[in-house]
């Protein structure tokens, strides 16, 4: 399992995959740890999560450099990702006991009826490379707080991140086996999920990956949460603050090199403001500095892998050949590393790749629509349903339009983001279940009814 810097093509390190015996030992450790961890008082678990937050902050530059070297995001964005993980740990350190307090129900006089929330056991997390720390911590913090233990199967191009995350929990004082990273290939996931010692699974990644895990989990009647792809619309209505929408939209498409499920991907713009938005939006994306991800003034680093850049460029090329207009970008940069510039396409034909597929990189499709109804119709013209953004000067109008868009979360006059305080997840081909907030911590628990006469 090789870690390669996508900005330089340099091999960083090579890791041995865990053998069958090592994985079996890890599952035994997880089972043993769960029996002890589930009995820990909630206050102890919260205290250890707070210690994990401290560990993250104390070593944030070291962790950020590992992120940047393995998957190419700019170092300042990597530092911000580690800080967000610390915030997530802090959130559950403060609120886990409230989220999991018993719910009382009406019952006959002299009886007590309530729902209590008890952990399920070892949970397998299959996680992606694009936010290699945050995607893991938004699962791990609530799940560990609930009394579960974690088994991480991380993406094969970020093994250093996987081991660093395991070390965070170890250094914070979590018991042995409470959180372990398994360095394994994807074709070994089914066998692990089928093992009786694993009680549930969560997946963030592609649709095929989620479907495969869900099928195996369903066969063995195990709970799953899936956070899959997205093709988020960014709707700009005729009364929007166009300058603000263009500035925020440029960042919403290109943050993290555009490699985000919740990135704005389809820009749906009312005809009355279309020309101004396109001009401002183009100026914004052309101002971004693409270069060395270790430099503090870089806005976009490299794409995570050369083959991903090639796939993205194929989507752009096929869309232009189908009739789309290339406004800016559209060619890999002529330099070492997997660098692709911010790219804008207009006059996008229905059914071409940038219209019908998820583009996982800095490529924006911009559409012109005649009215609000057409904007909503186009926003919903996708099999995905992860997030959406609506821009308007009228907050009531924004909320009304938000309610008409089929997505797991809609932000008005803001880019789509995940936040520990609110549930996160999608509908349709974007998956099911929720992460974060109270909904997230209650995904992997037994909602047990206790009736006492």
């Amino acid at each position: 399992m090789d870690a390669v810097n996508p900005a330089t093509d340099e091999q960083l390190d090579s890791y041995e995959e865990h053998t069958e015996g090592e994985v079996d030992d890890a599952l035994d450790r997880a089972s043993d740890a769960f029996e002890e961890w589930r009995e820990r008082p909630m206050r102890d678990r919260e205290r250890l999560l707070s210690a994990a937050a401290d560990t993250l902050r104390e070593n944030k530059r070291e962790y950020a450099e590992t992120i940047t070297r393995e998957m190419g995001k700019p170092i300042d964005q990597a530092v911000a990702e580690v800080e967000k993980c610390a915030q997530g740990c802090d959130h559950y350190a403060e609120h886990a006991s409230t989220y999991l307090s018993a719910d009382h129900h009406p019952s006959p006089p002299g009886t007590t009826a309530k729902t209590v929330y008890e952990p399920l056991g070892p949970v397998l997390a299959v996680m992606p490379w694009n936010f290699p720390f945050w995607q893991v911590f938004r699962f791990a913090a609530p799940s560990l707080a609930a009394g579960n233990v974690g088994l991480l199967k991380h993406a094969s191009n970020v093994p250093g991140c996987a081991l660093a995350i395991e070390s965070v929990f170890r250094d914070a004082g979590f018991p042995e086996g409470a959180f372990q990273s398994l360095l394994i290939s994807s074709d070994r996931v089914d066998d692990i999920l089928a093992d009786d010692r694993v009680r549930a699974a969560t997946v963030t990644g592609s649709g095929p990956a989620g479907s495969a895990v869900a099928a195996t989990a369903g066969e063995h009647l195990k709970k799953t949460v899936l956070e899959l792809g997205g093709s988020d619309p960014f709707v700009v209505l005729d009364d929007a603050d166009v300058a603000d929408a263009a500035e925020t939209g440029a960042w919403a498409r290109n943050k993290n090199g555009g490699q985000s499920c919740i990135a704005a991907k389809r820009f749906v713009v009312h005809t009355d403001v279309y020309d101004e938005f396109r001009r401002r939006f183009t100026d914004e994306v052309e101002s971004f500095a693409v270069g060395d991800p270790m430099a503090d003034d870089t806005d976009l680093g490299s794409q995570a892998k050369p083959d991903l850049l090639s796939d993205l460029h194929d989507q752009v090329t096929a869309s232009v050949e189908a009739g789309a207009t290339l406004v800016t970008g559209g060619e890999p940069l002529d330099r070492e590393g997997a660098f692709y510039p911010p790219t804008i396409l207009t006059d996008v034909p229905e059914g071409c790749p940038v219209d019908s597929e998820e583009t996982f990189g800095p490529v924006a499709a911009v559409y012109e629509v005649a009215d609000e109804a057409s904007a909503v119709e186009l926003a919903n013209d996708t099999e995905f349903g992860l997030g959406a953004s609506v821009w308007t000067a009228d907050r009531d109008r924004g909320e009304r339009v938000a309610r008409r868009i089929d997505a797991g979360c809609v932000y008005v006059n803001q880019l789509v983001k995940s936040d520990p305080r609110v549930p996160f997840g999608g509908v349709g081909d974007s998956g099911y279940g929720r992460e974060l907030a109270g909904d997230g911590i209650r995904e992997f628990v037994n909602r047990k009814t206790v009736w006492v006469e």
Side-chain angles (χ1 to χ4, degrees), residues 1-6 11-18 66-67 69-71 125-130 132 136 152-163 181-189 204-205 209 304-308:
M1 190 172 289
D2 296 329
V4 177
N5 186 332
Q11 182 167 321
L12 302 169
D13 210 338
S14 185
Y15 301 81
E16 290 295 327
E17 280 199 33
H18 286 143
T66 300
I67 292 171
R69 290 193 181 103
E70 289 195 331
M71 59 73 60
V126 181
M127 292 288 122
W129 48 262
N130 57 331
V136 176
L152 171 63
K153 187 279 180 231
H154 219 326
S156 60
N157 60 322
V158 289
C161 290
L163 295 178
S181 287
L182 306 177
L183 298 185
I184 59 171
S185 57
S186 297
D187 59 9
R188 296 172 65 186
V189 168
T204 299
K305 293 191 288 186
D307 61 318
L308 298 174

Side-chain angles (χ1 to χ4, degrees), residues 65-372:
E65 289 178 356
T66 300
I67 292 171
T68 295
R69 290 193 181 103
E70 289 195 331
M71 59 73 60
K73 78 172 61 182
I75 188 65
D76 63 333
Q77 295 178 37
V79 170
E81 179 177 341
V82 177
E83 291 173 340
K84 187 172 184 177
C85 295
Q87 293 165 7
C89 290
D90 282 340
H91 180 80
Y92 285 101
E94 182 177 354
H95 298 290
S97 57
T98 300
Y99 286 144
L100 295 177
S101 60
D103 294 326
H104 290 262
H105 309 290
S107 60
T111 67
T112 298
K114 59 184 177 181
T115 298
V116 297
Y117 300 96
E118 298 179 348
L120 297 180
V123 181
L124 175 65
V126 181
M127 292 288 122
W129 48 262
N130 57 331
F131 291 92
F133 265 59
W134 172 239
Q135 303 278 21
V136 176
F137 274 88
R138 77 183 190 192
F139 147 73
S143 192
L144 289 167
N148 297 304
V149 299
L151 294 160
L152 171 63
K153 187 279 180 231
H154 219 326
S156 60
N157 60 322
V158 289
C161 290
L163 295 178
I165 292 168
E166 181 181 290
S167 76
V168 170
F169 292 110
R170 182 175 61 248
D171 294 346
F174 282 74
E176 181 185 10
F179 190 92
Q180 301 174 83
S181 287
L182 306 177
L183 298 185
I184 59 171
S185 57
S186 297
D187 59 9
R188 296 172 65 186
V189 168
D190 278 359
D191 288 342
I192 294 171
L193 185 52
D195 193 289
D196 288 342
R197 290 167 290 185
V198 174
R199 299 309 310 147
T202 181
V203 179
T204 299
S206 68
S211 295
V213 170
T216 301
E219 187 178 335
H220 296 275
L221 299 178
K222 295 181 180 180
K223 176 68 182 291
T224 53
V225 170
L226 306 182
E227 195 270 279
L228 308 177
S231 187
D232 286 9
F234 189 99
V235 177
V236 183
L237 297 175
D238 54 308
D239 62 346
D241 181 331
V242 178
D244 190 18
E247 181 179 3
T248 305
W251 187 239
R253 172 62 278 198
N254 292 286
K255 181 180 180 181
N256 205 53
Q259 300 164 125
S260 172
C261 296
I262 55 171
K265 293 166 185 168
R266 296 176 298 127
F267 291 79
V268 182
V269 186
H270 192 286
T271 188
D272 289 355
V273 295
Y274 177 81
D275 289 339
E276 181 186 359
F277 177 85
R278 183 182 58 182
R279 174 177 57 81
R280 290 181 178 273
F281 185 58
T282 302
D283 290 344
E284 289 288 342
V285 302
E286 289 182 340
S287 73
F288 289 145
V290 183
D292 179 5
M294 294 300 292
D296 291 335
D297 59 353
T298 294
D299 297 308
L300 275 77
S302 66
Q303 300 296 281
K305 293 191 288 186
D307 61 318
L308 298 174
L309 180 149
S310 179
D311 291 344
L312 180 69
H313 185 53
D314 287 346
Q315 290 176 303
V316 171
T317 300
S319 298
V320 171
E321 290 175 351
T325 299
L326 180 64
V327 176
T328 189
E331 287 290 339
L333 298 187
D334 185 16
R335 56 174 294 173
E336 185 178 48
F339 290 90
Y340 204 81
T343 297
I344 298 174
L345 297 171
T346 60
D347 308 313
V348 178
E350 183 178 356
C352 75
V354 300
D355 174 66
S356 60
E357 301 172 6
E358 179 179 23
T359 50
F360 215 66
V363 175
V366 183
Y367 301 80
E368 182 177 2
V369 293
D371 50 37
E372 178 184 304

